[in-house]
Structure formats: C-alpha cells, structure tokens
Amino acid sequence: MASRRSSKNGCSNLRDSMSRNGVSGVEETLDDYISQLPDALLVQILSLLPTKDAVTSCLLSKRWRYLCQWLNYAVENKVEDVVLYSLHEGVSYELPLSIYSCSSMITLELSSWVFDKGLVITWNSLKSLKLDLIGLDDDDIVKLLSDLGYLKCRLVNVSSLVTANLTFSISCITDDWEEDDIEEESCRDHHHVFRNLVLDIFQKLSYATELRIGSWIAEVVFMLQLEGMILPELRCKCLTLKLLVTEYNLYGIASLLQTSPLLESLNIHIKNECKDPPCLLEQSYFAEVDNINLLSWIPNTVFPNLKNAKIVDCLSLCLKKWSKEGFFKLFELSKCLLKNAVALQKFVVLAKRRKCCICSQSCVSPHLSGLAKKLIDRPRSSTNFAIIYQEFA
C-alpha cells in the first residue's frame, strides 16, 4: 500500500500552507491569543467542543500538546464516541498515545492517522471502527485484528453488533511497485491473505442485520466463488450496496443476495469509486465473466423475504460515460430481482435533479427513468408491487 507522509507536529505543515497562501498574519494572531491562555483553561475549552472541532483547534495552535491533554481529559472521563480527522490531504499524523488505552470507546472514526506499531490496543468496548486513508501493511492489519481479538469474539456472538460497513478496499502489492519487479507468487500470496480476510469477516458478521458493501468486497466475493469457496449464510435484513454495478462485481452481488435468505430491503446507491486498475491476477479472474451469466451463476434462486428495493443516484460523475460501461449490468440485476423476489412490494428509483458539470445536461434522469420504464414490462414473481420513479433536488 502506498505510504503517507507522517508528521508529529501538525502545526508546521499548516503554518507552511497558510504562509504560502498569504495568511501567515492570521495564523500568528491566532497563536498569540491561544498562547496567552493558561493550560487548564485551554483543556476546559477543548472539553466543551465536539471532537473534530477540538482537534482542529489543536492543529491550529503552536501548542500541539493540547491535543494530547484534551484527549487525556476525554479518556479519563470515559469518552464513548471519537472522530479524529486530519486537516491536510496527503499528510498523516501519529495517533496520540492516550487513544490506544481508551477502553470506554464505543465508536471510533480515524482519517489520515498513523498507528504506532509498538503499542497494544485496548479498546474493550469498541463496537464500530471506521478507518479512512490509513496506511496499513499486512503486518499492521494482522496486529490490529489481533489486538481487537475481543471484538472478533463479540462478532461471533453478535449480541452487540447490528450494522457493519464494508466499503473499504485493499490495493494489490503491485500498486506500490513496478509490476515487472513483483514475483507472481508474491502477488498471489498477497491476494490470498486478503481473500481469506474477507471470508473471515463474513463469517464473523454472519449475524449482523444490516450490511453496507462496496465494490471491492463484491469483487473479492466473486473471486472467492470462482475458487469454490462457500460463503456463510447471512442473517442480513437490510443490504446497502455503495458502488457502480459492473460486470466485475455483479456476480459477487448476486452471491451475497443468494446467501441472505432473510433480506427484506436492498438499497443500491450508485456511487463512483476511486480504484486502482486490476493487476494481472485480478484480470485473470475478471476474464471469467465472458463465460458466465447471471442465470447460470445463481440458478433457481428465490429471494423469499425481499420486500423493498431502491436505486439511488449518488453519483458525482457523468452518468453518460458510466452507462456505456455498466448501466446494462444495473438493468440485469434489477431484472433478476423482479423475477426472483416473490414478496416484493416496492421497487423505487430515485434520481437527482441536476445538470452534470461534465456534459452540462441532466444526464441522470433519462437513464434512470428509462430503467424504471423498462422494468414495468419485465417478468416478475410478485403480483402485488409497484415500480416508483422519483426525482429529488
């Protein structure tokens, strides 16, 4: 995985940025005011702010130590929900030491922070962990999962876990090196580790009632199925797909639907994702799509409890460009739902009312309204359902 530049002192980076933009006077004035306040008062002020605002205030100050003081205060007072976001794109900061021993945390969100490899994590109450732009190599992930062993045990029993967000992606080892410099076995071993990791995640999350899935996970599921791996039966009742439906993730999506007999609601949030091109090994798996179709992939499959399906436009790219590559796959998935969902009540298609900044047209509405019209005449198992098309601002 690509490394990210780390800084123990967030002020220096911010100060350089502000100086380049001609606002150094503002920064110096702010520092002067903060410097005049006593430590105890600064910590008290930070304790009254939301976490993100408190961290921002600390990053703006020369007195960087107040972030650690504030976090110590929060940990001592048994903080339960923590959100730490870095301010600078391309820069990661070392996670303050007090966070590692915060056993009261229930939810934690981190963006652009670096883990200390030598410290043990004791997040005994953690139920939700979200990592964004975190540089982790194989050893980091193994250690993180090892230190969160109690969380994995809780997931086995699932008494506390309701929702799981699996919208992350893991890059191939070839993304950090020239592909010619990587031995084929190294690439294969790398993918083997993470495919097993995904399989283990689904086994641990088999009792979760709400899942959110991204494109990378769906693609890995497809590759697992090609290898003959059997997914555990999921007790998910609400599945949200945050992705563009493509020929490479379609069959992974179908496999997840097949293994979720209790599913009642399916939400497809059409969302563009920033992804690296597939490596040669991934390409070899994806080439198999030429030899299969959805009917043969999940033959005789019925979705007995699916009552509501919804397609929502969450795109920030031109739908005309995407439709040439994958719009047909969304239609193919939709047809499959109508044909096999015997209890379906509503199929809702929601489109944004906007002009595209790329083509300067309302490119979303025609495609999604056309999808809804085509579905009206398609075969369906449910005799009492409605297809609804709506536009929203």
Side-chain angles (χ1 to χ4, degrees):
M1 299 178 67
S3 60
R4 297 177 63 82
R5 188 154 48 94
S6 173
S7 173
K8 289 186 178 180
N9 187 341
C11 308
S12 61
N13 295 291
L14 182 59
R15 185 177 296 109
D16 292 343
S17 175
M18 298 179 78
S19 297
R20 286 193 299 269
N21 289 281
V23 290
S24 57
V26 176
E27 185 263 345
E28 291 172 0
T29 302
L30 177 61
D31 274 341
D32 289 342
Y33 282 123
I34 293 178
S35 299
Q36 295 175 13
L37 299 176
D39 289 3
L41 179 57
L42 281 171
V43 174
Q44 180 64 26
I45 292 173
L46 291 173
S47 70
L48 300 176
L49 294 175
T51 307
K52 189 181 297 186
D53 293 338
V55 173
T56 301
S57 302
C58 291
L59 290 174
L60 285 171
S61 173
K62 290 179 181 177
R63 296 161 76 177
W64 169 250
R65 64 182 181 273
Y66 296 129
L67 174 59
C68 295
Q69 290 185 21
W70 174 79
L71 286 173
N72 288 337
Y73 174 88
V75 171
E76 291 172 1
N77 285 272
K78 302 186 183 303
V79 63
E80 295 184 349
D81 304 297
V82 176
V83 180
L84 295 177
Y85 279 77
S86 170
L87 291 176
H88 290 67
E89 183 177 353
V91 179
S92 294
Y93 300 99
E94 290 191 358
L95 198 62
L97 300 181
S98 56
I99 284 294
Y100 293 96
S101 59
C102 186
S103 59
S104 61
M105 276 194 308
I106 295 176
T107 64
L108 173 62
E109 295 186 20
L110 299 175
S111 178
S112 299
W113 293 86
V114 175
F115 283 85
D116 190 314
K117 293 178 179 290
L119 292 178
V120 176
I121 296 171
T122 55
W123 297 334
N124 300 330
S125 303
L126 194 67
K127 297 181 181 179
S128 175
L129 174 64
K130 181 179 180 181
L131 304 178
D132 182 39
L133 298 177
I134 304 293
L136 296 172
D137 57 28
D138 294 5
D139 292 337
D140 290 332
I141 294 176
V142 170
K143 184 179 186 304
L144 181 61
L145 292 177
S146 175
D147 287 342
L148 293 178
Y150 58 87
L151 181 59
K152 293 173 72 178
C153 292
R154 180 177 293 123
L155 291 178
V156 171
N157 298 319
V158 247
S159 56
S160 61
L161 188 67
V162 175
T163 302
N165 190 346
L166 305 177
T167 56
F168 64 90
S169 64
I170 299 176
S171 300
C172 177
I173 191 174
T174 57
D175 291 334
D176 292 331
W177 304 88
E178 292 294 333
E179 196 150 7
D180 294 340
D181 297 333
I182 300 296
E183 294 183 4
E184 182 179 345
E185 289 303 314
S186 298
C187 176
R188 187 175 297 277
D189 291 343
H190 181 84
H191 283 278
H192 180 74
V193 168
F194 289 117
R195 284 200 295 270
N196 285 342
L197 174 63
V198 169
L199 186 60
D200 183 66
I201 287 174
F202 277 115
Q203 290 171 344
K204 299 300 188 296
L205 296 177
S206 60
Y207 285 82
T209 57
E210 183 176 351
L211 293 176
R212 302 188 188 106
I213 303 293
S215 183
W216 184 82
I217 291 288
E219 290 175 358
V220 172
V221 169
F222 172 49
M223 290 186 280
L224 285 170
Q225 296 279 276
L226 286 176
E227 292 183 343
M229 298 290 185
I230 300 176
L231 292 177
E233 184 174 292
L234 304 177
R235 299 195 179 184
C236 176
K237 293 186 177 181
C238 179
L239 176 62
T240 299
L241 305 173
K242 296 189 173 184
L243 44 72
L244 294 173
V245 180
T246 69
E247 58 183 343
Y248 302 137
N249 61 35
L250 172 63
Y251 301 105
I253 294 170
S255 295
L256 289 171
L257 294 174
Q258 184 182 43
T259 194
S260 305
L262 302 182
L263 187 67
E264 297 178 358
S265 297
L266 174 64
N267 304 305
I268 304 174
H269 292 184
I270 309 174
K271 182 178 180 181
N272 54 300
E273 297 176 289
C274 182
K275 294 179 57 182
D276 296 308
C279 68
L280 293 177
L281 180 63
E282 291 170 320
Q283 291 177 33
S284 68
Y285 282 101
F286 294 157
E288 294 296 320
V289 301
D290 296 331
N291 304 318
I292 56 180
N293 57 63
L294 203 54
L295 183 62
S296 63
W297 186 255
I298 50 171
N300 305 317
T301 297
V302 174
F303 311 129
N305 294 295
L306 185 61
K307 298 179 177 64
N308 299 290
K310 183 185 294 185
I311 297 174
V312 183
D313 164 32
C314 300
L315 283 169
S316 58
L317 54 71
C318 183
L319 190 59
K320 284 186 174 180
K321 179 180 179 180
W322 171 69
S323 65
K324 295 177 182 178
E325 303 171 357
F327 189 79
F328 176 75
K329 296 303 177 182
L330 177 61
F331 181 53
E332 188 175 350
L333 176 61
S334 301
K335 290 191 298 181
C336 177
L337 294 174
L338 292 185
K339 185 177 180 180
N340 299 288
V342 295
L344 192 64
Q345 298 175 358
K346 286 184 180 180
F347 196 114
V348 180
V349 181
L350 298 178
K352 281 184 182 179
R353 190 183 301 114
R354 61 172 173 82
K355 283 190 176 182
C356 176
C357 61
I358 297 177
C359 68
S360 300
Q361 299 178 17
S362 298
C363 59
V364 175
S365 300
H367 286 288
L368 292 184
S369 62
L371 171 68
K373 291 177 181 177
K374 288 181 180 179
L375 292 177
I376 293 176
D377 298 325
R378 303 309 303 180
R380 74 283 305 274
S381 296
S382 175
T383 58
N384 185 26
F385 88 104
I387 295 179
I388 302 171
Y389 172 78
Q390 295 178 342
E391 293 186 5
F392 62 97

